[in-house]
Amino acid sequence: MAAEANSNSDNLTLDKVREALIRQEDTIVFRLIQRANFPVNSPTYDEKFASFSGSLLQFVVKETEALQSKVGRYENPEEQPFFPENLPPSLVPPQANPPVLHPAAASININEKIWDFYFNQLLPLFAVPGDDGNYASTASSDLDCLQAISRRIHYGYYVAEVKFKDAPQDYEPAIRAQDREGLMKLLTFEAVEEVVKKRVGKKAAVFGQDVRLVDNGNGKYKVDPSVVSRLYGEWIMPLTKLVQVEYLLRRLD
Ligand SMILES: C=C(O[C@@H]1C=C(C(=O)O)C=C[C@H]1O)C(=O)O
């Protein structure tokens, strides 16, 4: 069950869900800073690496997900795998918490979109060009970023559930009409989104400064704060809202 939002649905409030999202910002910013320790390292992504059937990155992601599946990672609804095909079952006894979410959540996995923007658009904005040979560390650092971003975006299930529970009279007609645009309008709070973009930029500036004992460092940031604001404005928040819409469309099934 959701680690941060309380697993009892009566205790799920929009404030608590938003607090969980705010804490996840810290994780995302730190993981981007970690990834920025390495240059792009493009051989990590070569279609075929050594004797693997795909890239080194794919190998690391698939093998890590298989291990994490066995220890129950994907029993948490907000943890979605990037390669869901043929994952081994969990060997860990399921938790006894009552389910908070509608079962439709399990069928909503938008990791393909996350994979696509991360590698094709985001990574070149914050990793410097070059090759230092650290391909294994690069791949695990990419997976750390992907998992933190994916978890944040799929947390949209809880955001949607709590918004629905708070105002079923507003959401039900739009759900019955399968009105995507109407749902998107209902669940969007532009003022909140503006605050989020500013805050994550500030976190990138605070966490990513060069800390010195004597002066305030060199004024350079490990990851450009404007890239982090853009990550949220262009990808994370729109995709969180997509998860919310997809969830709500199935909420009365
Ligand atoms: C997450 C929420 O829903 C929407 C998505 C947001 C986000 O992904 O941060 C922010 C505001 C809303 O437009 C929310 O209301 O907090």
Side-chain angles (χ1 to χ4, degrees):
M1 281 298 105
E4 293 119 326
N6 197 301
S7 49
N8 177 335
S9 64
D10 293 339
N11 289 329
L12 196 72
T13 64
L14 191 50
D15 281 348
K16 281 194 187 153
V17 172
R18 284 179 172 157
E19 271 171 33
L21 295 179
I22 291 171
R23 281 200 299 276
Q24 291 180 46
E25 291 166 1
D26 301 4
T27 310
I28 291 173
V29 173
F30 276 122
R31 289 185 180 186
L32 296 175
I33 290 171
Q34 288 293 115
R35 176 60 184 86
N37 283 333
F38 304 106
V40 170
N41 280 339
S42 61
T44 312
Y45 316 112
D46 284 352
E47 293 286 305
K48 184 159 168 25
F49 191 93
S51 59
F52 305 150
S53 58
S55 66
L56 184 143
L57 172 83
Q58 281 172 349
F59 186 77
V60 167
V61 175
K62 285 184 185 167
E63 295 281 318
T64 308
E65 289 192 332
L67 168 66
Q68 293 185 336
S69 181
K70 287 192 220 170
V71 292
R73 182 180 187 112
Y74 303 111
E75 302 303 297
N76 266 5
E78 72 271 27
E79 297 285 1
Q80 288 285 348
F82 285 85
F83 293 100
E85 308 79 24
N86 307 318
L87 273 182
S90 169
L91 305 173
V92 174
Q95 290 185 22
N97 296 329
V100 175
L101 299 172
H102 187 282
S107 65
I108 303 164
N109 175 338
I110 63 163
N111 275 341
E112 249 176 68
K113 290 189 198 311
I114 297 171
W115 183 279
D116 178 63
F117 86 71
Y118 177 84
F119 290 109
N120 295 322
Q121 294 177 272
L122 181 66
L123 190 59
L125 296 177
F126 77 98
V128 296
D131 181 346
D132 69 3
N134 284 311
Y135 310 135
S137 306
T138 297
S140 45
S141 187
D142 281 325
L143 179 56
D144 287 343
C145 291
L146 286 168
Q147 286 183 327
I149 292 170
S150 172
R151 180 169 200 270
R152 196 293 182 190
I153 289 172
H154 290 100
Y155 220 78
Y157 310 138
Y158 296 95
V159 186
E161 178 63 23
V162 79
K163 287 180 181 173
F164 173 81
K165 284 262 176 64
D166 284 348
Q169 70 287 358
D170 295 341
Y171 283 94
E172 278 177 15
I175 296 171
R176 293 223 160 77
Q178 293 288 291
D179 176 5
R180 286 177 168 272
E181 259 180 53
L183 287 170
M184 190 59 98
K185 271 201 195 124
L186 280 171
L187 58 80
T188 296
F189 292 86
E190 274 167 24
V192 174
E193 295 186 22
E194 285 311 306
V195 172
V196 172
K197 275 191 275 182
K198 288 204 181 112
R199 187 178 51 239
V200 295
K202 188 164 182 190
K203 285 185 180 182
V206 172
F207 303 165
Q209 63 191 305
D210 195 16
V211 178
R212 303 270 172 90
L213 285 183
V214 179
D215 57 32
N216 287 332
N218 54 15
K220 280 208 229 144
Y221 301 118
K222 289 165 187 143
V223 171
D224 181 349
S226 72
V227 169
V228 180
S229 292
R230 198 171 151 198
L231 161 64
Y232 267 77
E234 282 184 34
W235 297 296
I236 290 185
M237 293 196 289
L239 291 176
T240 303
K241 293 199 289 182
L242 175 64
V243 167
Q244 293 186 57
V245 170
E246 294 296 338
Y247 179 83
L248 288 165
L249 286 170
R250 300 166 175 76
R251 180 60 181 73
L252 298 176
D253 289 357

